[in-house]
Every structure is written in C-alpha cells, then in structure tokens.
Amino acid sequence: MEATLEGNIIKMPDLKYIPKAKGVGRLYFDCMSKYKENVAQIDGLTGSTDTFAQLLSRCIRVAIGLKEMGLKSGEIVSVCTLNHLNSCVPMIASFFLGAIVSAVDVNFRSSELAFLLKQAPPKVIFVQENVVPKVESALATIGSDAIIVVFGDHSGHVSFAELLKDRSEEKEFKPKEVENLYETVSICFSSGTSGPPKGVCYNHYTMMYLGSDKAHGSCDSVLSVSFATPYWVVFLLGVHFHIVKGITRLVYPQFDPSNAWQTFTYPITSGYFNVAHILSMLKEGRPNNIQTDSVTDIMIGGNTVPGGTILAMKALLPNARVRLVYGQTEIPMSIASFNPLNPIDLRFIEEKPTSVGRGVPGVWYKIVDFENGAALGPNTPGELRIKTKMQTNGYYNLDSSQIWDESGWLKTGDLAYYDEDLCFFILGRVKEMFKYREWHVIPSVLEGILNTHPAVESVAVIGVPHEMDGHHPKAVVVLKPSHQSTSEEEIEKFVEETVSDSCRLRGGVKFVSELPLTVTGKIIRKQVEEMFS
C-alpha cells in the first residue's frame, strides 16, 4: 500500500475497515475463546503460566462481581498496580460490561492521584496492596466513594481473590455488545511532560482496528515483552495485540535496571523498550549467558534516540530488526512505521536507523511551517499534522478544541520532517523549540550533536531567556564517569565547530550529576528549565 504525495501532503490509502464484532469486549471474548489452549501469559520472575482459557475464566468472574457491585455501562473502572498475571483482568472484565477503563500510576503521590481520579472518577478502582493508603487519601481528597478492590489483603476493602470465586452463571456469560463503535471504551492519560496529564479517550472502532488484518507494521511474534505498567497506553495496546493475535505475553512487575537483560533468559521473539531501558542495557553490556537467536524485532519508543544508541543496540543484537516506533497518546497506534513484511522497508530499517518509518494505511500527513501553517516539502522541519479515523474522541471532561486545527488536522505538537523516500524523522516537541533572534533552535538537534562527544553521558538543551536575543541555548550535561575532567569550554568549542552561529551555546554549559527523567526515559524539561533558566 504505497503513499502518494500531493501538494506536500502524504496520502495513504483508505482503510475500508468494517469490524465484525460489536465492541472491544465482544472481540476479546471471541479471541480468548478461539485461542483458549494457547499460553496467554508467563510470569517472568516465577515462570508461572496462564492459558487464554484460564485468563478468560478469571475475567468473566470479575465481570460478574463488578456487575454485582452495581457497575453500569459507561461508568469508569480504574487500575493502580504494577504488572502481574492479574493486572489486565479488571480491564478486560470492564470491557465485557461496556464500562470505560482507565489507570493511574503506582508511583504518583496522593495529590497526583487525586488530580487524575478527579478527571476520570471511577466507580471501582483495583489497587495493589502497598499503595492502598495513597489511593484512600486521594479518593478522600476528591470526595469519592469509589469501591477499592485490593490485589492482596487489606482490611476494610474487597479482596481481588473474593471476585474469583466459582460462579454458577459463568458458563452462560456473554459480553455486552456495543451498537455505537465510536463510544469511548478507555481513557489513557497523556505523559504530562509538557503540562498536566489529560485523559485521552479511545473508541471501540480505533481499538478494534489495531491487530486486524488491515493493520500495518506488525511483526510475527510468539513470545513478546513490554515493561509498561497499566498506566501507559503501551500496556493497553500490548494486551490488545496479544489477545487478538493469540500470542504469549511475558510479564514482569517493572523493568529492573540492575538486571537489564533478564528478559532474554526467555526465548522472546519481540520486545518493546523505552529509551531508559535501552541505555540501561547498553550500560550493563550484553551478558555472556544469554541466547538471542529467537529475537526478531526490538522496538524502541517513548523519546527521540541518538543514532549511535540504535547502532550500539544493533551490534549487541545482530539478528534482530532494531527500530524506532512512533506514536502519541492521542492516537493509539503507530503513526508511522516500517513494515517488516515489506522488502523496501526492511532495507530502510538498516539504511535509516533514526527514522520512525513510513506512512501507515488510513492516515494523511503533512509537515507545516511554524509561522504560516503552509505544507512543507521533503527535508524541511516543521510540525507534523495528521488526519485519520484512528484518533482520540477528545479529552475526558476537558475542552478538546486545541487538538485539531481549523481544517480538522490533528496537531501532534511534534517537530518532524520526511525525506525523499517519505520516511519520517522525529526531532522533538514544538514546545521545546525556542528562538535565538529570528532563528528557530531545535534542542534535539543540538542534543544529537552533543551526544556524539565522547565525554557526554546525557544532555538537555534549553533556552535561557535573553532581553535582546530572545533565548540563548544552554546545555545541561551529565558527564561519563571516565571523563569527569572535561571542561565546559571544551564542550562549548565542540558545538561551536559543528553548528551555525545561531545555535552556539551562548547560554553556556552546566554539568550536573543527573537529569530529571520520567519512568519512560523522557527528560522532564520543565524541571530543567526551572533549575537553570
């Protein structure tokens, strides 16, 4: 399915996708029944396994229990837990009842939990045992009487185990069928790196398209791993793909940077890792006692990645396709992707390691000028905007008008460009860009240059306000342990010899011991700016 370029707009073929099942719940029920003998999950720490039949039984029992609690279609069920064999059960059970699924992160403070739970107030929330006090405090803050179900034991609340008791009606259970496939089925919160997190609503149609025969860019897999917890959209999409394809999911509570290669003690075929995971693996180095012949695809997402990092990972996994993937919370799919089944894309994966791929079916693309919104041609950076049916319904209980422009194009907020082969490259966020006089300065471009210096471990470039010039670029640098004697002047000179005059580090260089990062490895630029601007 090839793209056409018309008036600097990249147009991919229409989808022509008509779902067979009536809603995500019905789809999951049918797929889990179809693949009932397949292994659905493996606990990476214990080796315990779960067939789809066993998983389906637990989901049905929890769905019946939720119905007995008074849960109705359209009400919200939230989850606050790390990964385990039951972390996906409340979500699937809620889909069976036509409820809306959401999640909050176990690492948030009580005030942060309250902020999110107020946006998307749950009828029921499933919580791991050690974070119950935080959740109780958050619910009290917003005046919620949500029912707390605990993975474990906790006096005063329902135990998850209570919901798993035998149900006489289990064999007769049928999931609720949805008439309007554009109803909201799940809410995932945006990352919050450039502002407060917002609840992004997904509908049944979009979710059901993912994993269908018409979806693009997937890979054949037998055993796959991702460390994303239920809070992240990657978790939701991972569970979805495993169910609709009937493949096995390797489950760990979370990524362990002190044992970065532990997942490769299993014969995984594919894995999704964020930048922080990859850097931990490179720092540890490949252990001698692992076998990676089974690995075909390593997908890296969550942030821009220096080309050297990708090549270093390729060197450690020579038989695997190590590639970047690109998506947004507002669009629960790969916005651009290389298709492993396409020989041309396989060549581009090797030739263009920093590209996130080409267009996918059902999406139109354009790169627009920052000042006048005009569609730009190849190799010219601007903001990426897209049109597609597979997008958010909007923000839950919040004004969503700013998501789209006046012509209905979704504003990704990402700096990007495409080349002559219509391959996309992501440079960073529009909000991160600043001006030196009349010149636009893109932090990720400078960071890419700085990351090639042998002394630089990691770096963030920010704009320091200046009365006359607007902003001066400043580099906040973490040095490698072996290069602690490197001077600020050496770093400044290295950049000055490489970039145009407008991108010189007029704001200077500041050495720090570490940069503030999200759990997915993204630099929290707002904190860096507050510290050094």
Side-chain angles (χ1 to χ4, degrees):
M1 303 180 75
E2 294 301 319
T4 58
L5 182 62
E6 301 177 17
N8 290 333
I9 295 175
I10 299 173
K11 298 181 178 181
M12 296 299 294
D14 288 338
L15 287 176
K16 299 178 181 177
Y17 170 64
I18 301 175
K20 295 179 181 178
K22 291 188 175 181
V24 171
R26 182 79 231 188
L27 174 66
Y28 285 10
F29 185 89
D30 292 343
C31 289
M32 295 167 80
S33 300
K34 176 182 177 182
Y35 300 119
K36 60 184 180 181
E37 302 300 329
N38 292 13
V39 174
Q41 306 179 103
I42 300 174
D43 185 314
L45 297 182
T46 68
S48 299
T49 63
D50 223 1
T51 66
F52 278 105
Q54 292 169 322
L55 180 60
L56 176 60
S57 175
R58 297 202 305 280
C59 292
I60 291 173
R61 292 179 181 188
V62 171
I64 295 170
L66 286 171
K67 192 172 182 180
E68 290 175 351
M69 291 178 186
L71 181 71
K72 297 180 176 61
S73 176
E75 292 185 317
I76 296 174
V77 173
S78 191
V79 177
C80 184
T81 184
L82 295 176
N83 293 322
H84 46 80
L85 297 188
N86 284 316
S87 57
C88 65
V89 171
M91 294 184 163
I92 300 169
S94 301
F95 291 146
F96 286 171
L97 299 177
I100 299 171
V101 167
S102 185
V104 291
D105 194 83
V106 296
N107 296 306
F108 285 161
R109 299 186 298 271
S110 176
S111 59
E112 294 171 312
L113 292 174
F115 179 82
L116 299 185
L117 294 173
K118 185 176 181 180
Q119 275 195 57
K123 171 83 172 185
V124 183
I125 180 168
F126 289 76
V127 183
Q128 72 179 43
E129 189 173 359
N130 66 320
V131 298
V132 169
K134 285 196 299 186
V135 172
E136 289 175 331
S137 176
L139 293 174
T141 298
I142 64 174
S144 170
D145 60 356
I147 300 169
I148 296 176
V149 179
V150 183
F151 293 110
D153 295 319
H154 197 285
S155 60
H157 296 301
V158 179
S159 168
F160 181 80
E162 293 177 33
L163 301 182
L164 297 182
K165 63 184 180 183
D166 289 340
R167 305 278 185 171
S168 59
E169 61 269 51
E170 181 179 345
K171 291 183 179 180
E172 305 303 320
F173 179 85
K174 298 295 181 185
K176 176 180 172 60
E177 296 191 341
V178 177
E179 296 302 324
N180 179 8
L181 294 181
Y182 290 93
E183 288 180 0
T184 294
V185 65
S186 61
I187 301 169
C188 286
F189 288 97
S190 57
S191 62
T193 53
S194 58
K198 297 179 285 290
V200 180
C201 300
Y202 304 146
N203 60 55
H204 290 265
Y205 180 90
T206 297
M207 289 293 299
M208 293 172 71
Y209 166 72
L210 302 173
S212 71
D213 292 338
K214 293 182 177 292
H216 172 77
S218 61
C219 56
D220 293 330
S221 184
V222 178
L223 178 62
S224 181
V225 67
S226 167
F227 294 92
T229 61
Y231 177 71
W232 301 99
V233 64
V234 173
F235 175 89
L236 180 67
L237 300 184
V239 170
H240 176 88
F241 275 109
H242 285 83
I243 290 174
V244 299
K245 294 296 185 182
I247 60 178
T248 308
R249 189 169 72 101
L250 184 60
V251 179
Y252 288 91
Q254 57 188 342
F255 184 80
D256 180 3
S258 68
N259 191 10
W261 290 82
Q262 66 178 333
T263 188
F264 292 93
T265 58
Y266 288 87
I268 66 167
T269 47
S270 66
Y272 176 90
F273 299 86
N274 66 37
V275 180
H277 302 158
I278 295 298
L279 294 177
S280 293
M281 293 165 72
L282 291 174
K283 184 177 181 179
E284 181 179 322
R286 175 176 167 151
N288 294 324
N289 61 342
I290 62 168
Q291 294 292 328
T292 59
D293 294 343
S294 62
V295 183
T296 60
D297 287 271
I298 296 295
M299 293 158 280
I300 309 173
N303 202 0
T304 55
V305 185
T309 300
I310 301 168
L311 295 176
M313 201 64 196
K314 283 178 177 284
L316 295 180
L317 296 168
N319 297 325
R321 296 179 288 249
V322 180
R323 54 195 171 101
L324 299 180
V325 293
Y326 169 60
Q328 284 201 324
T329 311
E330 284 77 6
I331 305 165
M333 60 180 286
S334 292
I335 296 176
S337 175
F338 286 126
N339 185 351
L341 304 180
N342 185 323
I344 296 175
D345 281 1
L346 286 176
R347 175 166 59 85
F348 287 156
I349 289 173
E350 298 301 319
E351 295 177 355
K352 307 172 191 280
T354 58
S355 172
V356 297
R358 296 196 289 172
V360 298
V363 184
W364 288 11
Y365 307 80
K366 66 178 178 179
I367 305 291
V368 302
D369 184 88
F370 303 122
E371 305 294 342
N372 58 29
L376 303 171
N379 300 307
T380 308
E383 183 188 9
L384 173 63
R385 297 187 181 179
I386 68 171
K387 273 189 176 180
T388 179
K389 294 178 183 178
M390 273 67 64
Q391 62 184 356
T392 175
N393 282 357
Y395 298 132
Y396 192 77
N397 286 342
L398 291 173
D399 175 37
S400 307
S401 58
Q402 74 276 21
I403 298 176
W404 297 276
D405 67 16
E406 62 279 0
S407 301
W409 289 81
L410 188 141
K411 299 182 288 186
T412 68
D414 284 325
L415 290 166
Y417 71 92
Y418 60 90
D419 64 10
E420 294 84 356
D421 296 314
L422 305 186
C423 295
F424 287 94
F425 298 78
I426 306 300
L427 302 175
R429 297 288 290 165
V430 172
K431 289 182 179 180
E432 297 168 1
M433 186 177 63
F434 54 87
K435 268 190 167 185
Y436 166 73
R437 297 182 180 176
E438 71 273 20
W439 301 99
H440 290 289
V441 178
I442 301 174
S444 62
V445 173
L446 282 173
E447 290 162 2
I449 293 168
L450 284 158
N451 274 311
T452 65
H453 191 287
V456 174
E457 177 80 25
S458 58
V459 59
V461 171
I462 59 174
V464 179
H466 187 273
E467 183 178 2
M468 297 293 293
D469 297 335
H471 292 84
H472 284 174
K474 181 185 188 75
V476 183
V477 177
V478 178
L479 292 174
K480 294 178 179 176
S482 57
H483 290 74
Q484 291 297 307
S485 61
T486 304
S487 67
E488 291 90 342
E489 292 74 19
E490 180 182 338
I491 300 296
E492 288 183 31
K493 185 177 180 182
F494 174 78
V495 173
E496 186 174 339
E497 292 174 346
T498 310
V499 303
S500 61
D501 180 73
S502 62
C503 291
R504 288 171 48 200
L505 297 177
R506 288 178 167 84
V509 173
K510 177 68 176 179
F511 292 143
V512 295
S513 59
E514 62 181 3
L515 291 168
L517 302 174
T518 69
V519 293
T520 59
K522 291 183 180 180
I523 296 169
I524 307 175
R525 293 183 183 273
K526 186 176 180 181
Q527 288 187 22
V528 179
E529 290 168 355
E530 289 172 351
M531 293 162 61
F532 300 109
S533 290

